[in-house]
Amino acid sequence: MVRFFTTVAACVVVACAGPVAAEEIKGQAVIAGVPSIIALDIDDDLATLRHRPADNSAGWSRYVVHGPRQALALLADERLAFLWPALERMGGDDMSKLRDQSLERTRRGWQEGRLTAPNDEMANVGLSRRARALGQYVDALMDAGQWEAALELLTSERKRERGTSTLDHLELQAIIRDTAQVLEGLKQTERELDVWRQGIQLLGDSPFGLNLRLSLAARLAETGYYAESLELSEAARATFLKTAPANQVPNALPQFDWIRACALKGLGRADEAGAIMAGVADAEQVESRRIHLPRIRDHEQRAYQCLRDPQGLAGVWSRDLTQGPAIGSETFLLAQASAETDVLHRPTVDAAHAMFTAAPPLRMLPDRYSAAQRAWR
């Protein structure tokens, strides 16, 4: 399993809501076909990569390295080879130094109720500082393979008495999401599905409940419960389409589509599934410099694993690399021959690698990074 890909929890409506550099490295690279200026600022165990077009036609975009996962995505990008020595000084030659520092930094942040790195995922919009600090610590624990510790922490936090305010519901949704992700990492599928179902009962027909319904539908499709997934995803899609456009998260609709496609194929309706996936591939990507939005290419990669379609998966990897992947693109890690994959998807991923020819800017990571790719387990 690649945790940060296969367990992305759905956030489809808005209600889901830099340090002083100790070292700076500058260079140039072609990003998404555009000659760009690159600057990496490192301060101990935190780094911020900034890039903008060399002709100043747009402002700076930002990518924050706050744990091994983010560093590995840069170490697998040949366009950024001039940054690799600095990243290894920061993280250690196997990224264990960055793992340990990230754990300690986020632990202190959680205890003190403060953020220790920017937190611009769409799913975290509106969360309190305390809740986001909890999420950062849980992420660090999962990246380090400390799943049981993460589950214990979330279980303890879940027991706190809560009211019925929007903020309470938003934070409850985040805890449910993270708990389900941890249980997926522990390969406790039925228990994970129960967590999603219980969360839906608690949050009802609110926007928060809609987000959980979509997440459950995705996991039902991935684990072979196709009929239940189709029924749930179609009902969630109908609700989503009634939501005011201003409250809809950009790039969210393809999530409904790929889940429906996977469920349909599982039910023997492959032609319908193929037509839906063609529409996902053609969907327009909305970008934001302010917040990290869901990426359609990530939806596709998850979809083709669910569809048990290695040719489609290899095609997404090739297309992303050919078109010039974004900095930090998950393709750099998912297309690695040594990437950890859920046992459900292992045959599909292995078959995709057999027909996939790695090409620049993808670098196949050295063996010394294998433990980090597997979250040290």
Side-chain angles (χ1 to χ4, degrees):
M1 178 194 67
V2 181
R3 184 191 66 77
F4 59 97
F5 176 60
T6 64
T7 61
V8 170
C11 177
V12 294
V13 291
V14 170
C16 181
V20 177
E23 182 177 4
E24 183 179 64
I25 303 94
K26 293 183 177 180
Q28 296 191 26
V30 177
I31 306 299
V34 178
S36 301
I37 304 297
I38 310 289
L40 181 70
D41 300 325
I42 298 178
D43 185 4
D44 194 19
D45 62 344
L46 200 65
T48 301
L49 187 152
R50 296 174 291 117
H51 63 97
R52 64 167 174 77
D55 64 3
N56 288 316
S57 58
W60 292 98
S61 294
R62 181 180 66 173
Y63 178 83
V64 179
V65 179
H66 52 85
R69 204 167 67 228
Q70 296 78 33
L72 289 171
L74 303 186
L75 289 163
D77 188 342
E78 289 185 347
R79 299 170 302 181
L80 305 176
F82 63 95
L83 300 178
W84 296 347
L87 288 168
E88 288 203 341
R89 288 194 295 274
M90 173 189 180
D93 62 5
D94 63 353
M95 293 297 112
S96 60
K97 175 183 174 184
L98 184 56
R99 173 201 62 194
D100 295 343
Q101 291 178 327
S102 177
L103 279 170
E104 179 59 20
R105 185 187 69 244
T106 56
R107 183 192 63 79
R108 291 196 311 268
W110 158 240
Q111 290 178 339
E112 298 167 8
R114 60 180 177 82
L115 295 178
T116 60
N119 195 308
D120 60 357
E121 294 287 338
M122 189 70 223
N124 296 319
V125 170
L127 283 173
S128 68
R129 184 180 289 109
R130 184 179 188 278
R132 285 181 288 164
L134 171 64
Q136 288 187 338
Y137 186 30
V138 169
D139 280 346
L141 287 167
M142 288 192 284
D143 286 346
Q146 297 187 25
W147 305 95
E148 293 288 357
L151 182 60
E152 182 179 352
L153 175 62
L154 288 165
T155 301
S156 174
E157 184 64 10
R158 174 69 181 83
K159 291 178 180 177
R160 286 199 312 124
E161 184 176 353
R162 294 177 182 276
T164 58
S165 71
T166 297
L167 184 60
D168 289 333
H169 284 172
L170 183 59
E171 295 189 4
L172 178 58
Q173 175 191 252
I175 289 175
I176 291 167
R177 174 197 68 201
D178 289 349
T179 301
Q181 289 179 358
V182 170
L183 289 169
E184 183 185 350
L186 289 168
K187 306 186 188 308
Q188 297 182 19
T189 303
E190 292 304 321
R191 190 177 173 192
E192 174 206 345
L193 296 178
D194 284 344
V195 166
W196 289 121
R197 291 188 176 103
Q198 292 165 11
I200 290 168
Q201 290 180 344
L202 287 169
L203 297 176
D205 294 326
S206 69
F208 315 106
L210 173 60
N211 292 323
L212 298 187
R213 281 182 171 82
L214 187 58
S215 294
L216 174 58
R219 291 298 291 145
L220 288 169
E222 289 172 328
T223 52
Y225 296 92
Y226 300 119
E228 186 180 356
S229 172
L230 183 61
E231 180 180 3
L232 191 61
S233 63
E234 287 186 333
R237 187 178 191 274
T239 301
F240 176 76
L241 292 175
K242 295 176 183 177
T243 304
N247 292 330
Q248 295 178 0
V249 172
N251 308 327
L253 197 55
Q255 293 184 72
F256 294 94
D257 293 337
W258 79 253
I259 295 167
R260 183 167 178 262
C262 183
L264 286 170
K265 185 177 181 182
L267 294 170
R269 297 160 64 180
D271 289 345
E272 293 175 72
I276 291 171
M277 286 307 301
V280 172
D282 291 338
E284 183 178 356
Q285 174 75 41
V286 178
E287 302 287 356
S288 172
R289 283 189 168 81
R290 185 179 60 85
I291 197 161
H292 180 72
L293 294 172
R295 294 191 60 80
I296 293 171
R297 190 76 80 242
D298 298 339
H299 297 328
E300 287 188 272
Q301 296 198 60
R302 188 174 179 185
Y304 284 116
Q305 291 183 71
C306 187
L307 288 160
R308 314 294 198 263
D309 184 347
Q311 185 173 0
L313 182 58
V316 174
W317 294 343
S318 297
R319 192 161 68 250
D320 195 18
L321 294 170
T322 300
Q323 296 176 356
I327 282 179
S329 169
E330 292 174 359
T331 298
F332 287 116
L333 297 183
L334 294 169
Q336 295 288 325
S338 55
E340 184 184 17
T341 303
D342 190 290
V343 65
L344 292 170
H345 304 310
R346 186 78 261 172
T348 302
V349 174
D350 286 346
H353 278 296
M355 61 182 67
F356 170 69
T357 302
L362 177 66
R363 170 206 189 193
M364 286 298 178
L365 289 169
D367 289 344
R368 65 179 180 276
Y369 298 130
S370 295
Q373 287 183 265
R374 298 191 304 270
W376 283 275
R377 66 174 181 179

